[in-house]
Amino acid sequence: MVISANSGLFNFSLENSIINAKKSIFKYIRNMLSKKTKYGIKALAFIAKKGDKRPVQTSEISKSENISQKFLESILLELRKSGFLGSKKGKGGGYYLIKEPEAIKMTAVIRVLEGPIAMVPCVSLNYYEKCGDCPSEEACSVHSLMIQVRDSTLKVLGDNTLADISAKK
Amino acid sequence: MVISANSGLFNFSLENSIINAKKSIFKYIRNMLSKKTKYGIKALAFIAKKGDKRPVQTSEISKSENISQKFLESILLELRKSGFLGSKKGKGGGYYLIKEPEAIKMTAVIRVLEGPIAMVPCVSLNYYEKCGDCPSEEACSVHSLMIQVRDSTLKVLGDNTLADISAKK
DNA sequence: TAATACCCTATCGGGTTAGTAGGTTATAAA
DNA sequence: TTTATAACCTACTAACCCGATAGGGTATTA
């Protein structure tokens, strides 16, 4: 629906004005951490927090953490396939931790769910990819800066284990 | 174009097979630093590197750094509006730095071009936004982790000025 | 006054995210 | 053996943004 006034001197679209106003007021904020990763970490923390060996159902996590159950299913499945979780089918089934929470670094979790930790592929350790547009990686002013950012992030995520983040109240 | 074989027992789409194969082989790597920001930083570094007071043309930066000129124009315009650059129209015109490179922190540049530095809006200092889905921010296992990441990133980007990154050969 | 270079608006294709929908299979309890 | 349960699998989609393009307009200088 476009409301426009065509009266000689004036010719404007009201709809466009509204859209532009919205854009300036509600600036889109990009998530660098996807919901998938966020939910995955939360789910792992939830399971770790329970402590006992009994499997935890998707539905329980879904309700408690307010996550779409179907979406969560696909995430837990991925975590199982990548060796973080075990599963048990049927009644009383669910997902359980395979390793001790202390042994699960956040770097590993994020790399599986999110992909690279670096902000730019050309400084990624595990997902390296050359920039198509960069004439020279060495002459690139962004490159060394992003390496510094990567290393500091890596330090934080490597120091934090699942035990650390699920210890929070 | 869909190439499919329908011969009784078989019914598959070759195209889909190719697409799925591509997806698994060439996993999409998300850029946390947009091209816009990357180009913006490179352009600023380019101007800083020249050193003299003469304005630098968009076309010159575009060619040297291999950036779409039209796209670059919009980025430089934004940098001018946010107080990093001044401009001069007409022949011999272009963009020039307003402040000394030593006075331009990378945090400021990134916040203008990219937005928040934090990986999640709920830990952003300048672009804070509550998570719609989180039952409790304090109980959130991701929250404190992301605060640590934010702070370490902030440290790096705050320590680096335009002078630092344009000093590179 | 012609050339230059900044400035502005509108539009678009491609690709991802965050789901939804609807089923199938394995397991445990009845 | 049946039935309920919960994991597992496949396909699809609306919404959304990025990066770029197109086509101008306007100000300044030689």
Side-chain angles (χ1 to χ4, degrees), chain B residues 6-67:
Chain B
N6 264 305
S7 55
L9 287 172
F10 301 100
N11 182 356
F12 59 88
S13 157
L14 183 57
E15 195 183 41
N16 275 349
S17 311
I18 293 169
I19 289 172
N20 288 332
K22 268 191 180 175
K23 272 187 186 167
S24 55
I25 298 172
F26 305 107
K27 172 166 184 174
Y28 168 74
I29 299 185
R30 122 193 327 232
N31 272 308
M32 295 201 275
L33 195 79
S34 67
K35 295 227 164 161
K36 182 179 160 189
T37 306
K38 185 178 158 190
Y39 293 165
I41 294 175
K42 281 182 150 193
L44 285 175
F46 186 91
I47 297 173
K49 234 177 266 186
K50 297 221 96 177
D52 48 16
K53 300 288 176 191
R54 292 218 314 279
V56 183
Q57 285 86 352
T58 309
S59 61
E60 186 184 349
I61 305 174
S62 159
K63 273 173 211 150
S64 173
E65 299 292 328
N66 195 34
I67 303 171

Side-chain angles (χ1 to χ4, degrees), chain A residues 43-105:
Chain A
L44 285 175
F46 186 91
I47 297 173
K49 235 177 264 186
K50 297 221 95 179
D52 49 16
K53 299 290 174 191
R54 293 218 315 276
V56 184
Q57 284 87 352
T58 308
S59 61
E60 187 185 347
I61 306 173
S62 157
K63 275 173 209 150
S64 173
E65 298 292 328
N66 195 33
I67 304 171
S68 151
Q69 182 168 344
K70 280 289 195 179
F71 191 28
L72 182 60
E73 276 184 14
S74 69
I75 297 167
L76 293 178
L77 194 59
E78 198 169 337
L79 286 172
R80 196 216 66 188
K81 285 182 179 170
S82 43
F84 291 100
L85 294 174
S87 69
K88 197 159 170 287
K89 287 190 177 180
K91 188 165 190 180
Y95 289 97
Y96 53 89
L97 287 177
I98 285 184
K99 291 183 277 187
E100 293 301 311
E102 290 79 13
I104 301 176
K105 287 185 179 181

